[in-house]
């Protein structure tokens, strides 16, 4: 996932924040995720992103992330 985010920022070097408008992969609601580079990687606000099997990403809204997180802790 980090590599995908690096590519997004590399293709948009003038932006310090990138806003992705997507559809939640679980509930299908609209989700707006703001991504900013940080000293440790990237900060996401408004949802979660996951790398998919095709090399892209899928989005998840905050509510679905709370109940069905795909991240293994």
């Amino acid at each position: 996932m980090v590599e995908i985010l690096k590519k997004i920022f590399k293709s948009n070097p003038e932006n310090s924040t990138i806003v992705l408008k997507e559809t939640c992969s679980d509930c299908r609601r609209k989700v707006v995720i703001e991504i900013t580079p940080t000293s440790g990687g990237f900060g996401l606000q408004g949802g979660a992103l996951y790398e998919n099997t095709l090399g892209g990403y899928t989005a998840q809204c905050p509510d679905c992330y709370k109940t069905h997180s795909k991240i293994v802790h």
Side-chain angles (χ1 to χ4, degrees):
M1 188 75 232
V2 173
E3 292 305 316
I4 292 171
L5 294 175
K6 285 180 182 178
K7 287 180 188 177
I8 292 172
F9 275 97
K10 186 175 180 180
S11 64
N12 298 286
E14 69 282 355
N15 294 336
S16 60
T17 300
I18 293 188
V19 178
L20 294 177
K21 297 178 182 179
E22 298 293 334
T23 301
C24 178
S25 62
D26 291 349
C27 69
R28 311 308 296 164
R29 286 186 294 174
K30 300 280 183 200
V31 60
V32 178
I33 301 172
E34 294 182 15
I35 306 167
T36 54
T38 65
S39 61
F42 296 95
L44 280 76
Q45 185 171 26
L49 290 176
Y50 300 97
E51 191 169 0
N52 64 30
T53 57
L54 302 174
Y57 63 87
T58 57
Q60 198 175 39
C61 74
D63 292 334
C64 289
Y65 175 77
K66 286 178 189 174
T67 58
H68 302 106
S69 174
K70 296 174 184 172
I71 295 177
V72 178
H73 297 279

